[in-house]
Amino acid sequence: FNDTATTEIYTLSLHDALRIWERAADLASRRLRRAHRRVLREGRAISAGSPAEQLHDLRKRCKELRYLLEIFASLFDPQAYQRTLKDLKGLQDCLGEFQDRQVQQHELREFAAQMMADRALSADPVPVTALLAMGELAGGIGRAQQQARDEFAERFGEFASPASNRRFLDLTESTGQSGGQGEPGGGRPGGGGE
C-alpha cells in the first residue's frame, strides 16, 4: 500500500460510516416517533371508567418506548435524552404502581379463596384476626391503587404536554433526521458529543 491508497480507503470508510450512522439515526427517529404517538393515542383514550387492562396495555407501550430510547441512547444528545427519559419515567412510575397494586389485589383474593377452601376441609376455623388482617391489607392495597389511578391523569398530562412533546421532537430531530444535521454535542460521529 502507498499513502494515497490508504488515505482513499480511510476516507471511503469514514464516508460509509457516516451514511450508516445517518440511516441508523433516521430509523431510530422514525421508530421512536411511532412508539411515542402510540403511547399518546392510547393514553388519551383512557378515562376514569376505563378498565385496568387499558392502563396495563399503556404501561406495555411505555416500556416499548423506553426500550427504544435505551437502545438508541448513543445517538442522542445526553442532556436531551435525560430530559425525555424523565418525562416518560413519571408516567411509567404511576402505571407501574397501579399495576403492582392490581396484581397484589388478585393474589390476595386468590389467597383468601384458598384459605376458605382449606377451611371447608379442615376442622380448624380460620381465625377471625386473619380475616380482619386480610381485610385491612386489601383496603390498603385498594387505596394505594386508587391513588395511582387518580394520579394518572396528571402524570399523563405532563407526559403529553406541549413542552414534553417539544422535548421529544427535539430529541428525535437531534439524531440527524433534519437533513442529517445533528445538534452540537449530539451523538453523531464527529459531533463533539461525549
Side-chain angles (χ1 to χ4, degrees), residues 69 79-88 167-168 171:
L69 281 166
Q79 290 177 330
Y81 171 76
Q82 287 302 321
R83 286 188 300 267
T84 301
L85 201 56
K86 183 179 176 186
D87 290 341
L88 179 58
R167 284 189 291 274
F168 188 85
L171 177 77

Side-chain angles (χ1 to χ4, degrees), residues 23-35:
R23 284 184 192 156
D26 182 54
L27 173 64
S29 294
R30 286 186 284 126
R31 294 283 309 272
L32 283 163
R33 284 194 299 271
R34 185 180 318 129

Side-chain angles (χ1 to χ4, degrees), residues 53-144:
E53 293 80 24
Q54 204 169 349
L55 278 88
H56 184 55
D57 288 344
L58 177 61
R59 182 175 184 231
K60 290 188 273 186
R61 297 300 79 74
C62 288
K63 280 184 176 184
E64 290 169 5
L65 177 58
R66 173 93 175 258
Y67 294 153
L68 286 171
L69 281 166
E70 290 173 353
I71 288 168
F72 296 121
S74 65
L75 299 175
F76 304 128
D77 171 70
Q79 290 177 330
Y81 171 76
Q82 287 302 321
R83 286 188 300 267
T84 301
L85 201 56
K86 183 179 176 186
D87 290 341
L88 179 58
K89 280 182 178 180
L91 179 58
Q92 281 190 292
D93 289 348
C94 178
L95 291 168
E97 180 72 17
F98 180 83
Q99 182 62 25
D100 289 351
R101 300 302 173 237
Q102 181 75 14
V103 170
Q104 290 170 350
Q105 290 270 11
H106 174 76
E107 291 298 319
L108 189 58
R109 282 192 292 276
E110 292 285 319
F111 182 70
Q114 184 63 49
M115 205 163 127
M116 296 309 287
D118 289 350
R119 177 181 174 220
L121 300 173
S122 172
D124 296 325
V126 176
V128 172
T129 54
L131 295 174
L132 289 171
M134 288 180 71
E136 276 296 312
L137 188 55
I141 292 170
R143 285 187 296 278

Side-chain angles (χ1 to χ4, degrees), residues 172-192:
T172 58
E173 288 177 348
S174 76
T175 62
Q177 178 65 20
S178 303
Q181 300 300 312
E183 292 182 0
R188 181 177 176 181

